[in-house]
Amino acid sequence: MRTNDLILRTTTALIAFILLGFSIYLFLAGHQSPGGGFIGGLMTSAAIVLMYMAYGLEPIAKIIPVNFKLMIPAGLLIAALTGVGSFVFGESFLSQTYGHFHLPLFGDIELATAMLFDLGVYLTVIGVTLTIMLTIAGDE
Amino acid sequence: MGEEEIAVLSPFLETVTIVCIVGISISIFILIYRVLKGPTNPDRAVALDAIGVNLMALAGLLAILLVTTKFNDVILLIGILLFIGTIAIAKFLEKGVIIDRDRD
């Protein structure tokens, strides 16, 4: 039986963008206010789960052709490489630094290497959460 | 640097906020009664949704009481998670599956 969820689908199409934007905001704001890689990854996976709930398993797998199981080792690799990368500059493992850069659109901003570690956490959380969700949902 | 000005709340605003917190707490208790007693499952789902909205209001009032802006992300977060959770419950009550497999 096909049901008609026009309202759910339209709402999802509008809200998924807000959710993804909010998750990126949480990811970038984690240095000086609440947020960070973990909660940003959770919000991104919540947005993708909402899209899965509204549109079903097959269409979203076609729209987002990402193997979420591969995101876990990718995130872990990024997080480990940021730790190893400090050996290049003769520092100890996982030491961090920051610097001020002048970007054309944003002006003077402070970029820290802790954000690269956060990126690894972000990808790992997305991969773990969506792997759990889709493994449970794909069971018949 | 680390010299932050400690903001104080006016006594009138503090009284009003505490009265609002008490009112919302009473509302949450009445909703908990509906969750425990509700005859059908959709009753419980609607009551849980309303509890979430009251929780958002409680977080906002707490942010006023503690004079901080750090709770604003939390309020938005509760709203989003509430929406997704309510949709999941509604889909489960209607169809029995949350993420359906093949739709043409």
Side-chain angles (χ1 to χ4, degrees), chain A residues 87-107:
Chain A
F87 288 144
V88 178
F89 302 99
E91 297 288 330
S92 55
F93 185 59
L94 278 178
S95 56
Q96 54 158 334
T97 182
Y98 65 96
H100 289 270
F101 296 94
H102 197 79
L103 295 184
L105 203 56
F106 301 102

Side-chain angles (χ1 to χ4, degrees), chain A residues 5-20 43 46-55, chain B residues 45-46 48-53 55-56 74-92 98:
Chain A
D5 16 325
L6 176 67
I7 294 178
L8 175 61
R9 288 185 171 200
T10 313
T11 316
T12 302
L14 289 174
I15 283 184
F17 281 106
I18 303 174
L19 258 63
L20 289 172
M43 286 317 294
I48 297 175
V49 163
L50 177 65
M51 279 150 61
Y52 269 113
M53 284 196 296
Y55 290 96
Chain B
V46 172
L48 281 174
D49 196 36
I51 283 180
V53 174
L55 220 57
M56 286 168 71
V74 179
I75 298 169
L76 201 53
L77 208 65
I78 295 175
I80 289 168
L81 293 182
L82 188 67
F83 177 69
I84 293 172
T86 308
I87 282 180
I89 292 176
K91 275 203 83 170
F92 180 73
I98 293 177

